[in-house]
Amino acid sequence: MKFNDRISAGKKLAKIIPEDWKIDTIYGIANGGVIVASEVSTYLKKRLDVAFVSKLPLPWNPETAIGVVAVSGKVLTNEGLYRKIGLSFMDLQKITRERLSFLKRRQGNILSEKNLEAEDVTGKNILIIDDGLATGFTALGAVKDLKKSGAENIYVAAPVVHKTASTFLSKDIDGITQIVESETRVFAVSSYYRMFDAVGDKEVREVLKKNRWIFEEED
């Protein structure tokens, strides 16, 4: 199954979110996940916020994650992997500082206008959405960060999810759903989309502004 783009994938995903999850707020993982999450947010009439998290990539293979960092500074690492491939703790710190600096710039770019900041999540049911989950490590970073901020229940959804990611996340979340679950040995989220262009900070900012405008109109 192929999705035309993130918007069409989001429209399909919105229709399979279980009603008994009783979602309060939706978080899209920056940046591609926000486009998918926006469609779910509109359909469910729930506030949209951004999860600023980034995988910690191998210097010689950006697609392989050795951990994840949130803009709050919370870090999760796969110690067994990074030590096995010969990286030192100093190497890991350097990669983390670079990604954290990148995330802070991205956050500043996206939340540069009034009323775009995230609300307090204490006691709320949160739905985290990405455009696809390969390992689940990035989503786990968002889960841990939101739990630390006081979220009550956390759910995860994506148009396409590898079974490895579902298994990996299951013990830390309250539910997960997807349109397509893959068990293929070679897996790439982009292969499930006809159009999978990079999403810029400006596009995400405009999506957030539209979401806030909808809520202001309802008030």
Side-chain angles (χ1 to χ4, degrees):
M1 180 178 184
K2 275 187 179 284
F3 305 103
N4 189 50
D5 54 18
R6 291 181 180 90
I7 291 174
S8 63
K11 290 181 187 297
K12 289 182 173 69
L13 185 65
K15 295 176 181 178
I16 66 164
I17 303 299
E19 289 185 13
D20 62 1
W21 283 4
K22 301 189 183 306
I23 302 302
D24 295 308
T25 305
I26 295 171
Y27 272 76
I29 292 181
N31 269 1
V34 178
I35 307 305
V36 179
S38 175
E39 297 302 320
V40 181
S41 168
T42 299
Y43 184 83
L44 298 182
K45 297 182 180 178
K46 300 297 178 183
R47 180 187 169 93
L48 175 66
D49 283 314
V50 182
F52 292 98
V53 290
S54 172
K55 64 185 176 185
L56 303 176
L58 279 177
W60 57 85
N61 184 0
E63 295 304 313
T64 300
I66 53 174
V68 61
V69 62
V71 75
S72 65
K74 187 170 182 61
V75 180
L76 296 173
T77 58
N78 185 336
E79 281 199 38
L81 177 58
Y82 87 78
R83 292 188 186 280
K84 182 179 179 181
I85 59 182
L87 289 178
S88 68
F89 182 66
M90 294 293 287
D91 293 329
L92 183 64
Q93 283 188 314
K94 181 176 182 293
I95 295 169
T96 301
R97 284 195 302 270
E98 289 172 350
R99 296 312 295 173
L100 185 55
S101 177
F102 164 77
L103 277 179
K104 287 182 176 180
R105 288 196 304 273
R106 167 167 280 177
Q107 184 186 50
N109 289 340
I110 291 172
L111 306 183
S112 59
E113 300 182 32
K114 283 183 65 178
N115 303 322
L116 297 185
E117 296 86 357
E119 288 186 333
D120 183 9
V121 299
T122 303
K124 292 185 177 180
N125 294 338
I126 303 298
L127 174 59
I128 296 171
I129 293 178
D130 206 353
D131 48 23
L133 302 176
T135 65
F137 222 95
T138 304
L140 182 62
V143 169
K144 295 287 189 180
D145 199 49
L146 286 163
K147 277 188 176 180
K148 185 180 177 181
S149 296
E152 181 70 22
N153 296 299
I154 299 182
Y155 305 91
V156 174
V160 57
V161 176
H162 196 277
K163 191 171 184 178
T164 301
S166 299
T167 303
F168 177 69
L169 287 167
S170 60
K171 66 181 183 298
D172 291 288
I173 60 177
D174 298 281
I176 185 169
T177 191
Q178 66 282 316
I179 300 168
V180 178
E181 184 178 67
S182 172
E183 296 184 44
T184 59
R185 287 187 63 189
V186 179
F187 177 83
V189 171
S190 60
S191 68
Y192 288 84
Y193 289 83
R194 293 187 179 90
M195 291 183 284
F196 198 70
D197 297 338
V199 178
D201 295 346
K202 181 179 179 182
E203 183 177 354
V204 173
R205 186 169 64 249
E206 292 304 313
V207 165
L208 274 188
K209 285 169 65 177
K210 180 180 178 183
N211 177 268
R212 298 293 182 271
W213 178 79
I214 290 171
F215 275 80
E216 287 171 5
E217 285 291 295
E218 288 181 349
D219 290 344

